[in-house]
Amino acid sequence: SAVISQKPSRDICQRGTSLTIQCQVDSQVTMMFWYRQQPGQSLTLIATANQGSEATYESGFVIDKFPISRPNLTFSTLTVSNMSPEDSSIYLCSVESGLGYGYTFGSGTRLTVV
Amino acid sequence: DAKTTQPPSMDCAEGRAANLPCNHSTISGNEYVYWYRQIHSQGPQYIIHGLKNNETNEMASLIITEDRKSSTLILPHATLRDTAVYYCIVRVARAGNNRKLIWGLGTSLAVNP
């Protein structure tokens, strides 16, 4: 199955600033997924990123707040813009791992906004 | 828009089988059931998935009822390292081959010595 490297693993940020999270995969993948996990909650899909096209955002998430880049088949970034304390969450990227392996997840970025 | 319901917590004795139930009564015919687990502060780990038939791999077995309205994840010999939150998930198909995992709230499994 695919191996994902996600950076940073954690950060503490001031409100009003932005943070860019990077996700590097060790193999080429068509779709990459970005999730948010709020404290004590389950995972919620933010958007799906295909290489060469604009990301598709889920209801409740907008590009201005969570811009995504997907420059090639092994890399993607998610930016959390103009942060507020409500953005404090774990952000995870994920890819389809191929037949029989489900979806692989990165180790997550634990974001605290103060 | 969760499509699964799970008990919030369960206990299991080390060495015994852990049977984790999940209800997904509104599942559609082409929607898969996935199971993941998440150990504190780590990313979710894939366990198993299935559509209609029972499935088994080196980690677990997945038993899906004939009407597909519920399933059970079985960890045959639970160890302390199996203590985690277990998520039962439905993968829905959408237009343009764009699939989405819909996560439930999970079951916090505690394996006790």
Side-chain angles (χ1 to χ4, degrees):
Chain A
S1 62
V3 176
I4 298 175
S5 173
Q6 188 173 338
K7 296 179 182 178
S9 59
R10 60 177 62 232
D11 208 340
I12 300 173
C13 300
Q14 296 290 322
R15 67 174 67 203
T17 63
S18 298
L19 176 71
T20 295
I21 301 167
Q22 299 181 2
C23 184
Q24 179 75 52
V25 190
D26 70 342
S27 57
Q28 294 184 338
V29 293
T30 303
M31 289 190 286
M32 296 179 75
F33 307 89
W34 287 99
Y35 287 85
R36 180 177 73 182
Q37 186 174 26
Q38 294 177 300
Q41 302 297 312
S42 185
L43 277 71
T44 301
L45 182 64
I46 297 172
T48 302
N50 290 329
Q51 193 271 333
S53 63
E54 288 211 358
T56 302
Y57 288 82
E58 298 296 316
S59 176
F61 298 95
V62 295
I63 188 171
D64 289 347
K65 177 66 175 178
F66 298 101
I68 288 172
S69 78
R70 184 78 202 276
N72 57 52
L73 290 172
T74 63
F75 187 78
S76 178
T77 68
L78 170 77
T79 299
V80 186
S81 303
N82 188 25
M83 289 183 287
S84 67
E86 291 71 35
D87 294 318
S88 297
S89 295
I90 298 173
Y91 293 85
L92 300 124
C93 67
S94 174
V95 301
E96 288 193 73
S97 292
L99 192 64
Y101 293 99
Y103 296 74
T104 299
F105 285 80
S107 55
T109 296
R110 183 179 295 271
L111 170 63
T112 302
V113 183
V114 296
Chain B
D1 57 347
K3 297 195 73 169
T4 62
T5 55
Q6 302 174 252
S9 63
M10 292 182 65
D11 287 289
C12 178
E14 187 178 20
R16 304 297 294 270
N19 296 278
L20 291 88
C22 179
N23 287 323
H24 31 79
S25 58
T26 62
I27 196 170
S28 298
N30 62 348
E31 295 175 346
Y32 281 76
V33 177
Y34 281 72
W35 283 84
Y36 277 76
R37 71 182 183 184
Q38 188 174 31
I39 297 170
H40 184 63
S41 298
Q42 297 182 20
Q45 178 189 19
Y46 169 78
I47 301 174
I48 200 167
H49 73 282
L51 181 63
K52 297 180 183 178
N53 300 321
N54 298 336
E55 302 288 346
T56 295
N57 62 21
E58 64 278 4
M59 287 184 69
S61 294
L62 173 61
I63 308 299
I64 303 175
T65 58
E66 192 169 342
D67 63 7
R68 300 188 71 239
K69 293 184 182 300
S70 65
S71 60
T72 300
L73 177 74
I74 301 173
L75 308 178
H77 305 287
T79 71
L80 299 179
R81 288 181 293 181
D82 291 323
T83 293
V85 178
Y86 287 77
Y87 292 99
C88 175
I89 300 153
V90 170
R91 191 189 76 175
V92 301
R94 301 186 294 183
N97 199 33
N98 186 4
R99 297 178 288 265
K100 177 181 179 181
L101 298 179
I102 299 181
W103 296 66
L105 297 179
T107 295
S108 179
L109 175 68
V111 180
N112 304 309

